[in-house]
Amino acid sequence: AVHNVPEGLAVALVLIPRGVPKFQTMLWSICTSLPQPLIAAPVFLFVEAFIAWEPLGLGFAAGAMLWVCFSELIADALKEVRLLVVSAIIAVAFLTMSLLSYYIDLISP
């Protein structure tokens, strides 16, 4: 699916500069997505049993994303770009996502 493209790209961006051949890099990129279809059927079968745990899982995922953003992405950006530029980009990204979320809520039935 489309959401796997950044994952495969992240793998390739690490392996190619280290001299891993392109074909082998492609195989490793594909291998990172293999567990998803393998676990999809069992998850579908047991989703009702674990629906009560959904908020915990979503909260954990959100916390992990925030941790990566603040401890790695923003820290790395600040090494390359001034604080004002990073702050402006964060503000524009937040505003854009808020507007998109509002628009989606507006058009959803």
Side-chain angles (χ1 to χ4, degrees), residues 86-105:
V86 173
S87 301
I89 291 171
I90 291 170
V92 168
F94 182 79
L95 180 64
T96 303
M97 286 306 301
S98 296
L99 291 173
L100 282 172
S101 179
Y102 174 76
Y103 178 71
I104 290 170
D105 287 342

Side-chain angles (χ1 to χ4, degrees), residues 6-29:
E7 185 177 309
L9 183 61
V11 171
L13 289 173
V14 171
L15 296 179
I16 291 289
R18 293 183 179 179
V20 177
K22 290 179 183 178
F23 184 75
Q24 191 175 358
T25 298
M26 180 191 71
L27 292 177
W28 279 115
S29 295

Side-chain angles (χ1 to χ4, degrees), residues 32-49:
T32 62
S33 298
L34 286 180
Q36 292 175 0
L38 295 176
I39 201 69
V43 167
F44 178 76
L45 294 173
F46 295 108
V47 73
E48 290 297 324

Side-chain angles (χ1 to χ4, degrees), residues 17-93:
R18 293 183 179 179
V20 177
K22 290 179 183 178
F23 184 75
Q24 191 175 358
T25 298
M26 180 191 71
L27 292 177
W28 279 115
S29 295
I30 292 170
C31 285
T32 62
S33 298
L34 286 180
Q36 292 175 0
L38 295 176
I39 201 69
V43 167
F44 178 76
L45 294 173
F46 295 108
V47 73
E48 290 297 324
F50 294 102
I51 199 73
W53 292 91
E54 181 185 25
L56 182 67
L58 292 174
F60 180 79
M65 291 176 140
L66 285 172
W67 175 262
V68 168
C69 284
F70 286 108
S71 70
E72 294 184 19
L73 297 177
I74 294 174
D76 287 347
L78 288 171
K79 291 176 187 173
E80 303 290 328
V81 185
R82 293 187 336 237
L83 175 62
L84 184 63
V85 174
V86 173
S87 301
I89 291 171
I90 291 170
V92 168

